[in-house]
């Protein structure tokens, strides 16, 4: 059995209840349409549906990357991927409420298994930051701060911000501006950008306020 399939089977056999064995057999045979139903046991039907949807989307993402993952996971790195990196990523996926971000978590997993000098603590920090950002905030960070020369399209399916322009919509514009201020403060609090000023009133960085941590965070979640 291929390494990535063994990782999935071993982890999902442990991580979910009896329906997972059947579901993984179906998955490993290449039939994804039946994976979602009954995979995860949950007390509330809404939460159950959300968990099942997250599992299905994660497996779909992984299925499309089988060859890349198989090459990326070395024999020496197999145990780390199976016992640490995959469970770490999967824990975040199960709790995610915005499905658009699932592909980004899988991007992070793919990049982590490809890293010969992976820092597990830093990897968890990247996942924590991604979890704390709404999709709209992540898009704002990319559009506003990631240099275009380094930008890779993440294809987040969300509508653009609709900032009000007419006189009648002043209140809505004020709300939008307030939310934008909130986004700026949140990105700085998370260490992704820096808007500190020097003693002469000039920005600490005049070219771009994105931090080194912000650069590395972004690179961790885009596909190579």
């Amino acid at each position: 059995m291929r390494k990535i399939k063994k990782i999935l089977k071993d982890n999902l056999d442990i991580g979910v209840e009896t329906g997972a064995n059947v579901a993984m057999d179906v998955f490993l045979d290449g039939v994804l349409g039946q994976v979602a139903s009954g995979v995860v046991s949950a007390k509330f039907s809404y939460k159950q549906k959300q968990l099942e949807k997250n599992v299905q989307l994660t497996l779909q993402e992984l299925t499309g990357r089988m060859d890349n993952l198989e090459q990326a996971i070395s024999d020496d790195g197999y145990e780390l991927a199976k016992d640490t990196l995959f469970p770490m990523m999967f824990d975040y996926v199960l709790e995610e409420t915005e499905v658009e971000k699932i592909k980004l978590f899988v991007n992070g997993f793919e990049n982590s298994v490809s890293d010969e000098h992976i820092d597990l603590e830093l990897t968890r920090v990247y996942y924590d930051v991604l979890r704390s950002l709404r999709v709209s905030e992540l898009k704002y960070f990319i559009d506003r701060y990631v240099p275009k020369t380094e930008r890779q399209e993440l294809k987040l399916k969300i509508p653009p911000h609709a900032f009000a322009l007419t006189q009648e919509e002043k209140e809505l514009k004020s709300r939008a501006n307030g939310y934008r201020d909130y986004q700026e403060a949140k990105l700085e609090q998370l260490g992704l950008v820096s808007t500190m000023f020097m003693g002469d009133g000039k920005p600490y960085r005049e070219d771009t306020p994105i931090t080194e941590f912000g650069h590395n965070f972004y690179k961790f979640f885009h596909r190579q």
Side-chain angles (χ1 to χ4, degrees):
M1 184 182 294
R2 299 173 72 180
K3 292 192 289 291
I4 184 60
K5 288 185 177 181
K6 289 177 64 178
I7 289 173
L8 291 170
K9 190 175 191 310
D10 289 348
N11 277 280
L12 295 186
D13 279 347
I14 296 171
V16 294
E17 296 184 18
T18 55
N21 292 324
V22 175
M24 281 308 303
D25 287 342
V26 173
F27 167 67
L28 294 176
D29 288 338
V31 183
L32 279 171
Q34 304 174 39
V35 170
S37 180
V39 173
V40 180
S41 175
K43 183 176 181 180
F44 301 104
S45 60
Y46 174 80
K47 185 64 174 178
Q48 179 177 354
K49 290 178 181 178
Q50 181 66 54
L51 290 173
E52 290 173 351
K53 184 175 183 179
N54 288 4
V55 170
Q56 183 184 41
L57 291 174
T58 302
L59 295 180
Q60 287 175 339
E61 284 290 336
L62 292 167
T63 299
R65 312 175 190 212
M66 280 293 186
D67 291 339
N68 289 342
L69 288 168
E70 189 67 20
Q71 294 178 7
I73 301 172
S74 65
D75 291 340
D76 292 339
Y78 170 74
E79 294 296 330
L80 179 65
K82 177 176 72 74
D83 297 335
T84 303
L85 296 177
F86 180 83
M88 183 190 299
M89 179 273 293
F90 204 71
D91 283 345
Y92 286 93
V93 164
L94 291 180
E95 297 177 359
E96 183 54 56
T97 59
E98 294 186 288
V99 296
E100 298 89 346
K101 287 161 59 178
I102 287 179
K103 69 178 295 181
L104 304 185
F105 283 109
V106 177
N107 286 355
F109 171 68
E110 183 176 359
N111 289 333
S112 67
V113 299
S114 304
D115 190 345
E116 295 181 357
H117 307 287
I118 187 69
D119 185 324
L120 295 178
E121 182 64 22
L122 187 56
T123 298
R124 191 174 294 278
V125 169
Y126 288 150
Y127 284 136
D128 282 342
V129 173
L130 179 60
R131 179 176 58 184
S132 69
L133 289 170
R134 308 296 295 175
V135 171
S136 58
E137 295 162 356
L138 185 62
K139 185 177 187 301
Y140 180 80
F141 165 66
I142 295 170
D143 291 344
R144 174 69 177 82
Y145 292 111
V146 176
K148 292 182 178 180
T149 55
E150 300 180 18
R151 190 177 302 171
Q152 300 289 330
E153 180 57 61
L154 295 180
K155 297 181 180 179
L156 298 175
K157 296 181 180 179
I158 61 173
H161 291 292
F163 296 120
L165 298 175
T166 66
Q167 184 69 22
E168 293 77 9
E169 295 175 326
K170 279 187 176 181
E171 183 177 350
L172 292 177
K173 183 176 182 180
S174 176
R175 292 179 184 177
N177 288 338
Y179 180 50
R180 185 158 47 190
D181 291 341
Y182 164 81
Q183 289 177 313
E184 296 275 359
K186 184 173 182 179
L187 294 175
E188 184 166 10
Q189 182 183 36
L190 291 171
L192 298 173
V193 302
S194 175
T195 55
M196 294 186 301
F197 287 85
M198 301 172 66
D200 57 3
K202 293 183 179 180
Y204 179 70
R205 292 184 63 180
E206 294 185 332
D207 53 345
T208 173
I210 189 172
T211 63
E212 183 176 359
F213 176 77
H215 277 294
N216 293 333
F217 166 81
Y218 172 74
K219 289 192 296 183
F220 185 77
F221 289 110
H222 81 69
R223 292 197 70 179
Q224 302 294 334

